[in-house]
């Protein structure tokens, strides 16, 4: 179904090009009269965050850029909440056209959906108070480590790095950072860019820092319906965003004041042939 919908958009673009002797420029977008539905997180500051009618974050900025390259103006974008547990279902049930929501590319997910990208390579890391002497997961023995309920991140630290870590699970990262601000939590763990987004919130600027020693690798991809014909176009848009410097601007804007620097060996990412 998605192929047909995107194909219709492409046909409209071709007709417009013949009539206006331009393609998506000047007089309007390739997708005039249509909308694109993009799934994002609503509750991850710095990545995907909804505040009233305003949507902010790195995922949002990349999504807007890619949509623009596909011929959509910002007012043609409909952002839809895409919780982690619902992402495959939303793509399969035609609830969204694509998803930018810290969506790691995995072989298991690739069996039921398609991916473009990656547009970012994250790694599990630690968020700690600015005056903390914790430099990596090995330093967490006897410390209180927080992550969200249902996440495997904290258990991974206990199993592989510091077996005497005291694990604390809370409903959300906001609760973890609140407790760390009060001194009852020593560190929070999840993907490094998510931690940077938390540290960039006005209430925590200058209080927390990302350790900067990632100990995993997560390739954030653009989730797409299985069988889509738009993967190559999206990869071309991501590549253009990186080469133009807009990718770096978006990253800097959304992590400013945190001291966060992504792994330079993997970022900006080199796009593999995920469209095969």
């Amino acid at each position: 179904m998605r192929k047909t919908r995107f194909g219709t958009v492409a046909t409209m673009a071709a007709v417009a090009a013949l009539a206006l002797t331009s393609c998506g420029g000047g007089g309007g977008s390739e997708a005039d009269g249509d909308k694109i539905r993009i799934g994002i997180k609503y509750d991850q500051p710095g990545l995907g965050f909804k505040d009233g009618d305003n949507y902010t974050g790195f995922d949002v900025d990349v999504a807007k850029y890619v949509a623009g390259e596909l011929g959509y103006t910002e007012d043609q974008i409909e952002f839809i909440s895409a919780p982690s547990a619902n992402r495959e279902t939303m793509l399969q049930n035609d609830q969204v056209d694509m998803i930018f929501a810290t969506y790691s590319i995995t072989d298991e997910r690739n069996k039921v959906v398609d991916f473009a990208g990656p547009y970012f390579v994250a790694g599990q890391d630690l968020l700690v108070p600015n005056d903390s002497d914790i430099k990596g997961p090995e330093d967490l023995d006897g410390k209180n480590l927080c992550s969200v309920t249902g996440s495997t991140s904290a258990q991974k630290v206990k199993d592989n790095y510091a077996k005497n870590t005291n694990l604390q699970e809370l409903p959300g990262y906001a609760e973890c950072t609140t407790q760390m601000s009060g001194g009852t939590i020593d560190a929070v763990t999840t993907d490094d860019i998510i931690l940077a987004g938390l540290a960039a919130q006005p209430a925590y600027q200058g209080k927390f820092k990302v350790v900067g020693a990632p100990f995993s690798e997560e390739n954030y991809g653009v989730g797409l319906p299985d069988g889509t014909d738009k993967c190559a176009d999206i990869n071309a848009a991501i590549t253009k965003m990186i080469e133009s410097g807009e990718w770096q601007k978006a990253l800097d804007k959304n992590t400013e004041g945190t001291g966060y620097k992504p792994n330079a060996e993997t970022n900006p990412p080199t796009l593999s042939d995920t469209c095969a």
Side-chain angles (χ1 to χ4, degrees), residues 127-141:
L127 185 71
V128 299
N130 262 350
D131 59 357
S132 174
D133 58 1
I134 295 171
K135 294 182 173 59
E138 300 85 356
D139 297 330
L140 290 170
D141 267 325

Side-chain angles (χ1 to χ4, degrees), residues 31-263:
D32 280 347
D34 207 349
K35 284 189 176 291
I36 185 166
R37 303 162 300 167
I38 301 180
I40 61 169
K41 294 290 181 67
Y42 277 11
D43 59 354
Q44 286 186 339
L47 284 158
F49 190 72
K50 183 179 187 291
D51 182 12
D53 294 328
N54 193 33
Y55 301 90
T56 60
F58 180 69
D59 283 354
V60 172
D61 288 341
V62 179
K64 288 179 178 178
Y65 188 96
V66 169
E69 289 300 304
L70 294 179
Y72 295 88
T73 59
E74 286 196 21
D75 61 2
Q76 290 176 299
I77 299 172
E78 180 184 356
F79 286 118
I80 297 171
S81 176
S84 295
N86 300 348
R87 291 175 297 198
E88 285 85 31
T89 301
M90 293 178 73
L91 288 166
Q92 291 172 316
N93 291 347
D94 191 31
Q95 294 172 267
V96 292
D97 298 308
M98 58 184 69
I99 291 179
F100 292 76
T102 60
Y103 200 4
S104 296
I105 302 171
T106 68
D107 291 339
E108 192 66 25
R109 289 170 176 163
N110 247 325
K111 293 176 182 177
V112 294
V113 300
D114 285 349
F115 284 99
Y119 62 89
F120 189 81
V121 181
Q124 186 177 345
D125 209 326
L126 303 171
L127 185 71
V128 299
N130 262 350
D131 59 357
S132 174
D133 58 1
I134 295 171
K135 294 182 173 59
E138 300 85 356
D139 297 330
L140 290 170
D141 267 325
K143 304 290 187 181
N144 297 322
L145 176 66
C146 188
S147 193
V148 298
T149 304
S151 169
T152 60
S153 299
Q155 189 63 48
K156 189 182 298 182
V157 170
K158 189 176 180 72
D159 290 345
N160 299 322
Y161 298 96
K163 65 180 181 180
N164 294 319
T165 302
N166 303 313
L167 303 186
Q168 176 72 59
E169 288 190 344
L170 293 174
Y173 293 112
E175 289 87 349
C176 288
T177 51
T178 296
Q179 290 211 14
M180 188 161 70
S181 185
T184 58
I185 293 293
D186 298 297
V188 182
T189 190
T190 186
D191 293 352
D192 52 4
I193 193 169
I194 297 175
L195 296 174
L198 292 168
Q201 293 182 87
Y204 299 127
Q205 284 187 358
K207 294 183 178 180
F208 300 152
K209 64 182 179 183
V210 180
V211 168
F215 45 96
S216 74
E217 191 170 291
E218 304 290 338
N219 290 277
Y220 288 175
V222 184
L224 300 166
D226 188 37
T228 181
D229 60 356
K230 279 295 171 184
C231 180
D233 291 341
I234 293 169
N235 276 355
I238 294 168
T239 299
K240 182 177 177 180
M241 186 179 188
I242 291 169
E243 291 177 349
S244 69
E246 292 302 312
W247 181 93
Q248 190 64 53
K249 288 181 183 177
L251 183 65
D252 291 345
K253 180 183 75 173
N254 288 292
T255 60
E256 186 177 6
T258 66
Y260 170 69
K261 301 292 181 186
N263 187 337

